[in-house]
Amino acid sequence: MPSSTASFVLTTAAVITCGHLGTVRDAPAQLRALAGGAPVATAADLLTVTGCPGVSGSPPCTGVAWTGLAARVLAGGRPLLVQDPPPAGPVPGAGVCAGPPPTTPLVHWVQLRVTAG
């Protein structure tokens, strides 16, 4: 869902986990547009989860579908992935994990200099 207000642009350096604290890794689809020296994340990126312990009787989380998209800013022809301004500590991310509940990813760190709407 495109964001109409300015949100922070996600990069490959963002620290994101699934709800069970498995690590979300971003395989960037483009490497030219950078923020803070790291590639910006786009709707074409593949977000995978590693190290998810899951919950008893369920398979672990395997990936994340990010729904926070910049409405007006593109990189490589694709909308940037964005996250609303975070307060201190891990906050719910604008995406859905493929795995057992809770399915909301947690954003632990995101760069705070570049925004997009």
Side-chain angles (χ1 to χ4, degrees), residues 11-113:
T11 69
T12 57
V15 178
I16 304 171
T17 64
C18 69
H20 316 101
L21 302 181
T23 302
V24 175
R25 303 218 183 269
D26 181 359
Q30 68 80 39
L31 300 172
R32 294 183 71 187
L34 307 176
V40 297
T42 72
D45 289 11
L46 178 62
L47 302 174
T48 58
V49 179
T50 58
C52 173
V55 293
S56 181
S58 295
C61 296
T62 57
V64 176
W66 205 263
T67 56
L69 303 174
R72 298 180 300 272
V73 183
L74 308 175
R78 305 291 182 149
L80 300 185
L81 303 187
V82 294
Q83 172 66 31
D84 288 335
V91 296
V96 178
C97 292
T103 58
T104 302
L106 299 173
V107 177
H108 298 265
W109 182 86
V110 61
Q111 63 80 31
L112 301 176
R113 297 189 69 164

Side-chain angles (χ1 to χ4, degrees), residues 2-8 69-72 82 84-85 115-117:
S3 173
S4 60
T5 60
S7 299
F8 293 109
L69 303 174
R72 298 180 300 272
V82 294
D84 288 335
T115 59

